[in-house]
Amino acid sequence: MSSRSLIVISDLHISSGPLDDCDPELEEALVSFVSELSRRATAVELVINGDFLDFVQASPWQDSEFESVSGDGIPLCFTEEQSRTKLESICQAHSRIFQALTELLASSSDNRLTIIPGNHDADLFWPSVRESLAARISGGSVRASNQLRFVLERTYRPPEFERIWVEHGHQYDPVNSFFVGGESRWATLSPPIFVDRQGEKRLYECIGTRFLLRFLNGLDHSYPFVDNVKPFSRFLRIFGASALVPGRGPIKAAVAVWSMLRYLGRTAVTAPGELLSLAKDGGQSALATFVKEMSEAERAEFARQLRARGLDLDRPLTLYLRDPERLDHAMEFLADNLQLLDAFADDESAYLSLSGEPGTLKLGKAFLVDETEELIRAADKILKDHSVAAVLMGHTHEVVKDRWKDGYMNSGCWMRYWQLDNSQDPRPWSILRSDSFRLFPYQLNYIEVAGTTGLPKFTTFREKSS
């Protein structure tokens, strides 16, 4: 029997700057939660099961220096120095959270904090990033530093509850997994770190991370809740259906989503085969329609701005966009210069939807994956093949608590979210603007293992409905 309780949470996505999802209300809830753990009469081990920090969306969030490639073509992102810069930005933005964690360890010498990296904080594989974070949390205390543990393996079996299997779950998601050449790069002896063509060490960039860095971060800057639609497969269906049909979504979203999907369709690094393809006019017609509906003065000003940014317009804009190759080029150009579309307001008649025009979007196998079901199947196999009583995961942001008798639980996320389904009324794109954040619900959950049974119990700490 253990005198220490195991508390598991995941997917906090604490970041910094304009893309940060940890708003003041969520921060206050997290600080309160950790403070309540500090006041417990019995000791606890708090396990943050992946995506504690969101380096991918932390400031600085956009820089051409973030992307590189290895000599054999492996996509790479942050250097160790870049990750340290992002960590400092996060710590400055959320000092109260780190102070609460410091107090958790200080309140009892028997308390523990275990941090497991997820796909958004793979940066914790950098030694100096772990050292900096440990110094921030321990406050310079040798005792506290011994109470803090980083688990750089795929799974964690708590010493006092060895029949509990804790895993973030991203390795079962083909978009966000860290497999290179069929081999897992997610362990102390096999970290997701490679050398680029300039001889500099960088983190491996999975498809999901590159998707964010190249495309979604730029769209998220205008629509801060664009990435709060979970899971990822549903996000793709919504934005494929809503942005690529003329008049269905804002032009900035149409260009960004077209560019995202075009990129994903060409990517086969970790998920070989056809991932995604677009219809013949998948998105380009939205741009042509947008320009056609401008007034002459608006069109002349838009053309002037395009030329000023470097687009070689060799004919009037409407004629330029009638040529398929030039139209394609204009879409790619605008995808790299989304700020040119900031001046154009959202059409309030443009709605997000799960059902698009037939043939607008075709998703290949990797993007039709139901991430929640994939993790459930993985948990079933773990329970069958290993001597464990329960499997606890995160990653999908979707709560799974009705499978506890079967031995699986997912605590969901500590973020606001929006899970659109066909039963809901259509919502306008403007709901994704920053001033709409109060419309987004959240449910902050934790899983606790304690007592003689050693079986997990699912608890909601705080909840807010939309």
Side-chain angles (χ1 to χ4, degrees), residues 43-261:
V44 300
E45 177 185 358
L46 174 61
V47 177
I48 305 179
N49 184 21
D51 291 353
F52 168 32
L53 309 177
D54 196 327
F55 286 84
V56 182
Q57 296 193 293
S59 293
W61 56 271
Q62 193 172 47
D63 194 320
S64 60
E65 295 299 316
F66 288 161
E67 293 193 72
S68 189
V69 67
S70 71
D72 50 355
I74 298 170
L76 307 174
C77 55
F78 309 138
T79 65
E80 190 166 9
E81 181 180 357
Q82 289 167 347
S83 294
R84 281 201 310 272
T85 298
K86 284 172 168 283
L87 175 64
E88 183 58 31
S89 175
I90 294 170
C91 290
Q92 289 180 5
H94 297 285
S95 58
R96 293 184 64 221
I97 291 174
F98 297 100
Q99 181 60 35
L101 293 173
T102 300
E103 292 169 2
L104 172 67
L105 300 184
S107 64
S108 170
S109 60
D110 291 326
N111 284 346
R112 300 286 183 268
L113 174 61
T114 300
I115 298 174
I116 304 172
N119 49 298
H120 281 257
D121 50 12
D123 308 64
L124 294 174
F125 276 92
W126 293 120
S128 67
V129 170
R130 294 195 304 277
E131 291 166 7
S132 296
L133 182 56
R136 174 75 63 156
I137 293 173
S138 69
S141 166
V142 174
R143 189 193 82 180
S145 64
N146 292 330
Q147 295 170 258
L148 172 62
R149 174 193 291 121
F150 293 96
V151 176
L152 302 183
E153 306 301 327
R154 182 168 171 174
T155 61
Y156 175 52
R157 306 285 289 275
E160 294 168 297
F161 296 97
E162 292 185 349
R163 297 194 67 220
I164 300 295
W165 179 294
V166 184
E167 181 176 358
H168 182 60
H170 65 287
Q171 289 293 73
Y172 304 107
D173 175 0
V175 174
N176 291 294
S177 62
F178 283 63
F179 285 93
V180 180
E183 296 184 5
S184 175
R185 295 300 297 255
W186 198 263
T188 303
L189 298 180
S190 185
I193 297 172
F194 296 83
V195 177
D196 70 9
R197 288 174 177 168
Q198 286 70 48
E200 191 162 25
K201 289 184 177 180
R202 289 179 179 267
L203 287 174
Y204 170 68
E205 186 180 57
C206 66
I207 292 176
T209 296
R210 179 155 288 199
F211 185 88
L212 283 164
L213 290 177
R214 283 198 175 188
F215 309 110
L216 195 55
N217 281 356
L219 190 58
D220 195 7
H221 188 250
S222 294
Y223 302 95
F225 288 96
V226 74
D227 62 334
N228 289 53
V229 179
K230 304 296 178 183
F232 186 68
S233 58
R234 188 174 297 131
F235 162 86
L236 282 175
R237 289 199 298 274
I238 291 169
F239 288 93
S242 302
L244 301 182
V245 180
R248 184 68 65 79
I251 186 60
K252 184 174 183 178
V255 172
V257 172
W258 174 87
S259 188
M260 294 180 207
L261 301 181

Side-chain angles (χ1 to χ4, degrees), residues 5-8 40 44 446-450 455-459:
S5 296
L6 184 75
I7 308 291
V8 181
R40 284 195 178 190
V44 300
Y446 65 93
I447 298 171
E448 181 166 1
V449 185
L455 294 177
K457 176 185 177 183
F458 189 97
T459 304

Side-chain angles (χ1 to χ4, degrees), residues 290-325:
F290 169 72
V291 171
K292 183 179 179 181
E293 292 178 351
M294 286 179 169
S295 68
E296 289 188 18
E298 288 175 327
R299 195 156 44 241
E301 174 58 20
F302 188 47
R304 186 195 68 76
Q305 293 183 29
L306 290 171
R307 289 191 178 95
R309 293 290 297 185
L311 180 65
D312 182 19
L313 283 176
D314 58 356
R315 61 193 68 185
L317 187 54
T318 50
L319 292 177
Y320 185 93
L321 298 179
R322 289 178 188 173
D323 181 282
E325 288 188 12

